[in-house]
Amino acid sequence: MPSPRTLTCLAILPLLLAGCRSRTQDNPVGKPIAIKAPLGLPPVPVPADNPATADSVELGRRLFYDKRLSSDNSLACAHCHDPKFYFTDGLRLSKGVNDQLGVRNAPTLLNSAYMPFQFWDGRAISLEQQSVGPIANPVEMNNAKHEIFLDKLKDDAEYPKMFRKVYGSKEINLVRVEKALANFERTLLSGNSAFDRFQYGGDQTALTPAQIRGLAVFLNPAGGNCASCHTIGPKDAIFTDGKFHNIGQGVSGDGDFTDIGRYHETKVETDKGAFKTPTLRNIAQTAPYMHDGSIRTLAAVVDFYAGQGNSNPYLDPEIRKIHLSPQDRLDLVEFLNALTGDLPPNSGPPAK
Amino acid sequence: MRLKPSFALVLIAASLAGCKSKPTEPVVTTETSSAPVFYHVDAATAGSISGTLKYTGKRPTPKLIDISQDPTCVKAHKGKAYDESLVVDSKGDLANAFVYIRKGLEGKVFEVPTTTVTLDQSGCWFRPHVVGLMVGQQLIITNSDPVTHNIHSVAQINREWNHSMGPGDAPLQRKFTKPEIMVPVKCNIHDWMHSFIGVTDNPYFAVSKDDGTFKIENLPPGTYTLGVWHEKLGVQEQTISVSPKSDTPANFTYKGE
């Protein structure tokens, strides 16, 4: 007589198979390509169920620049993540379909492949999971039902062929769209900045004396203390610890939070006002700054830290350790200007 | 969050209003315990105190403050920046002293003025250098400068707080919950910027002007301890009797070197 355990196993088996089958079906089928990380960046993490193939990256790129992903065909992902602005929109807060104003500043997608969490509050944990967000968000691409934009893609002359090439069948579904977008985003890497050539490339002349002083301030725990959150590693640097911190940004005059940030996800009281540490790569090109885009210049960001942020009950203790002399502040800004890297190849709009 | 309590109040108010068929006297039974009874000053008998603060000894030479580390501040300041921690004129008159009623008003609850008090940051300088307000009165902090400032209220009795203010940022609104003589205010970014806020639970305070004079008006007759605070010279006090409808003189002298 079969034991109860075997029975359960048997019951689960078809489910597992079904799960597996649909998953393999939605995985890119071609030969995986190696995404080469530029100087200063670690190898790109790629999930096992979404190997990057040349065709899937190309499909993702096409989708990324396709306005049909929005409800009224007015804007593509690139509307808010524009290569001209280093994959941001250069605005304080993003504007979506019908010019609806969002509540947060659009982060750069360059190097987002390294982020263990996506969004300022980390509500998505992978690029795959992330991309459905904006498509459905009423103040972004505004698709109440995904079927609507999927149908638009199915009616296209090219897409069914492209999906067949990538996934082995012409079926167009949400998972496939997500995966392709994520694979394109994984190629949006930007390194080889002056800082990288200095720090990891052995070029002692790559940074100016002021930038070298600024780097020292950045690293000094009793100075800028910046690297305690915007991490610089021995072999590479993504300038973020991938964690959430309350630096006192977005605290209103009477001490309330204008945006509760990470708390939205965790419901842990001390996460109120905490946001994901953003990368600082290409920071000179992605003004304005912070989750609410409220700081216009890098000099003003540095002054914000020099003042030790805005007090509130959950202010990260690391902020209180920051001490910056006037010279330190000037040097820090110079250093932040040395973090602009190369734009990745083949990242602009696809040729028709 | 924040919105909810006030929202709830609005709802209650709305529902109450909705229930009443015609306007009636407000129901006060539950209110009496919480609503404070404010002391009413009788204008017919009120008196005043006025006087001058003097500094004896050699007149301190105004100390020039070097703000050149921030060139934007130099431009914004328009003219030289002189230290305001000890300001004495050629006749020995002492400015920037905070004068207030320290004792004698116990048991009287004064209504909080609806007027606001402004502390401006302009030319990388807090203006005014010394200012007073009542517990619960609205303090408005403005930044008129093209640079980021940071207001750090280093309170001991009230809650200490620190807030960054970029150029063009909306004014900051704050209140103090307890009397405190004085709350030092500084800017973490520009270390020469200082201001002092006197927080009292009565409306009787003044800051001595450049000619050393001060005046406190509309005071009920009685005997008071008048206190003075000066940033560099410390505190003094004297007992003073204010008679009805008259001005009582009160002068203070600080000995210098």
Side-chain angles (χ1 to χ4, degrees):
Chain A
M1 208 184 129
S3 72
R5 200 143 145 226
T6 338
L7 274 178
T8 348
C9 282
L10 284 176
I12 289 176
L13 201 56
L15 282 175
L16 276 177
L17 283 178
C20 285
R21 200 171 52 224
S22 78
R23 216 177 261 165
T24 27
Q25 242 179 19
D26 291 334
N27 292 359
V29 293
K31 189 166 145 289
I33 52 164
I35 304 171
K36 198 179 165 318
L39 180 67
L41 288 172
V44 189
V46 181
D49 65 351
N50 190 20
T53 64
D55 289 328
S56 75
V57 170
E58 198 47 40
L59 174 60
R61 180 178 177 188
R62 199 182 188 79
L63 290 166
F64 188 83
Y65 288 97
D66 195 330
K67 293 182 178 169
R68 282 172 295 182
L69 264 63
S70 61
S71 62
D72 62 355
N73 304 326
S74 66
L75 47 93
C77 305
H79 179 81
C80 303
H81 304 286
D82 186 341
K84 280 206 297 281
F85 297 107
Y86 283 69
F87 292 88
T88 69
D89 55 13
L91 299 173
R92 180 168 177 178
L93 302 171
S94 292
K95 274 191 191 148
V97 160
N98 297 327
D99 271 354
Q100 285 206 74
L101 203 59
V103 292
R104 292 197 182 141
N105 175 265
T108 181
L109 299 192
L110 292 170
N111 305 321
S112 59
Y114 297 106
M115 302 288 151
F117 293 95
Q118 302 296 328
F119 292 122
W120 286 105
D121 53 15
R123 64 184 181 277
I125 54 161
S126 69
L127 286 170
E128 281 78 3
Q129 200 192 80
Q130 183 282 330
S131 50
V132 291
I135 297 177
N137 191 333
V139 297
E140 293 187 359
M141 299 166 120
N142 191 27
N143 286 291
K145 285 210 181 85
H146 287 116
E147 290 76 18
I148 303 172
F149 89 87
L150 290 175
D151 283 345
K152 284 191 269 185
L153 302 187
K154 286 172 191 160
D155 289 344
D156 182 76
E158 296 302 316
Y159 277 122
K161 284 185 242 164
M162 292 185 83
F163 275 81
R164 181 194 297 280
K165 243 167 114 186
V166 176
Y167 297 106
S169 70
K170 73 174 173 55
E171 190 193 336
I172 298 181
N173 62 33
L174 198 56
V175 175
R176 291 181 168 196
V177 170
E178 284 165 19
K179 287 189 169 179
L181 278 169
N183 271 341
F184 170 63
E185 288 170 302
R186 267 186 200 105
T187 67
L188 299 179
L189 307 181
S190 170
N192 193 31
S193 64
F195 159 78
D196 296 307
R197 294 193 293 275
F198 175 87
Q199 188 82 354
Y200 305 115
D203 180 356
Q204 294 304 303
T205 63
L207 294 185
T208 66
Q211 289 169 337
I212 295 173
R213 287 197 304 272
L215 170 58
V217 173
F218 193 92
L219 294 167
N220 180 2
N225 194 28
C226 315
S228 68
C229 298
H230 300 284
T231 325
I232 295 181
K235 285 199 269 171
D236 43 55
I238 51 172
F239 288 91
T240 167
D241 55 2
K243 298 198 177 106
F244 301 84
H245 301 275
N246 176 323
I247 66 164
Q249 175 58 38
V251 177
S252 71
D254 43 10
D256 277 348
F257 297 106
T258 47
D259 185 334
I260 50 175
R262 184 63 178 156
Y263 175 82
H264 196 272
E265 291 310 293
T266 61
K267 301 290 182 266
V268 172
E269 181 65 18
T270 50
D271 280 343
K272 279 189 180 161
F275 293 88
K276 187 180 73 178
T277 310
T279 180
L280 298 184
R281 288 189 171 274
N282 301 300
I283 196 71
Q285 309 297 324
T286 60
Y289 303 109
M290 303 297 173
H291 71 271
D292 55 1
S294 61
I295 306 188
R296 280 179 289 263
T297 64
L298 284 177
V301 170
V302 169
D303 285 351
F304 172 82
Y305 282 110
Q308 300 185 335
N310 296 327
S311 53
N312 71 80
Y314 312 119
L315 184 70
D316 196 292
E318 294 300 328
I319 297 298
R320 283 300 195 103
K321 298 183 188 154
I322 298 174
H323 294 281
L324 297 168
S325 74
Q327 188 63 49
D328 291 347
R329 277 155 35 212
L330 294 173
D331 293 341
L332 253 187
V333 173
E334 289 300 315
F335 172 68
L336 294 173
N337 278 315
L339 302 182
T340 304
D342 299 334
L343 279 178
N346 307 317
S347 59
K352 184 55 210 134
Chain B
M1 289 198 344
R2 251 288 144 148
L3 270 178
K4 273 183 191 149
S6 54
F7 185 59
L9 281 180
V10 170
L11 275 182
I12 292 173
S15 55
L16 282 178
C19 294
K20 285 179 199 148
S21 47
K22 58 180 149 172
T24 49
E25 284 298 301
V27 188
V28 285
T29 40
T30 53
E31 296 279 298
T32 38
S33 56
S34 59
V37 181
F38 294 120
Y39 180 77
H40 178 74
V41 182
D42 180 6
T45 59
S48 62
I49 305 174
S50 57
T52 305
L53 280 100
K54 288 283 186 188
Y55 177 83
T56 62
K58 207 167 117 268
R59 183 188 177 197
T61 35
K63 217 169 77 204
L64 195 63
I65 292 189
D66 181 14
I67 62 170
S68 65
Q69 49 172 248
D70 196 329
T72 323
C73 287
V74 177
K75 242 168 86 204
H77 197 81
K78 298 191 189 81
K80 296 201 159 83
Y82 288 104
D83 177 40
E84 287 183 327
S85 65
L86 183 54
V87 179
V88 179
D89 73 6
S90 57
K91 290 188 294 241
D93 302 315
L94 178 67
N96 287 336
F98 188 74
V99 189
Y100 64 106
I101 302 283
R102 237 176 87 79
K103 280 185 210 144
L105 290 166
E106 291 76 10
K108 298 189 173 69
V109 181
F110 294 91
E111 197 163 4
V112 179
T114 50
T115 50
T116 59
V117 171
T118 301
L119 181 63
D120 186 30
Q121 301 162 98
S122 104
C124 298
W125 211 254
F126 282 119
R127 299 169 201 268
H129 185 63
V130 177
V131 68
L133 46 52
M134 262 184 78
V135 168
Q137 191 174 1
Q138 190 78 65
L139 174 68
I140 295 189
I141 301 162
T142 53
N143 181 5
S144 309
D145 279 334
V147 297
T148 301
H149 287 302
N150 155 269
I151 306 96
H152 187 174
S153 141
V154 198
Q156 307 276 325
I157 300 169
N158 285 280
R159 189 170 59 84
E160 176 183 351
W161 54 262
N162 182 50
H163 206 92
S164 165
M165 261 186 112
D169 276 4
L172 205 64
Q173 309 208 350
R174 294 283 166 135
K175 285 177 182 168
F176 294 93
T177 53
K178 297 182 192 98
E180 183 166 357
I181 309 289
M182 307 280 285
V183 177
V185 178
K186 62 177 188 174
C187 172
N188 289 356
I189 306 171
H190 306 102
D191 58 8
W192 62 82
M193 290 176 67
H194 294 284
S195 173
F196 295 87
I197 304 176
V199 189
T200 58
D201 54 8
N202 66 64
Y204 303 113
F205 54 83
V207 178
S208 68
K209 299 192 206 130
D210 285 348
D211 65 359
T213 62
F214 73 91
K215 186 162 184 136
I216 292 173
E217 293 179 270
N218 197 32
L219 196 62
T223 301
Y224 301 108
T225 305
L226 189 63
V228 186
W229 169 96
H230 186 274
E231 159 182 10
K232 276 282 164 67
L233 305 172
V235 294
Q236 287 191 17
E237 59 180 49
Q238 54 175 274
T239 308
I240 180 171
S241 281
V242 175
S243 21
K245 290 186 78 174
S246 64
D247 184 57
T248 311
N251 298 316
F252 292 89
T253 304
Y254 280 100
K255 278 203 181 58
E257 286 112 53

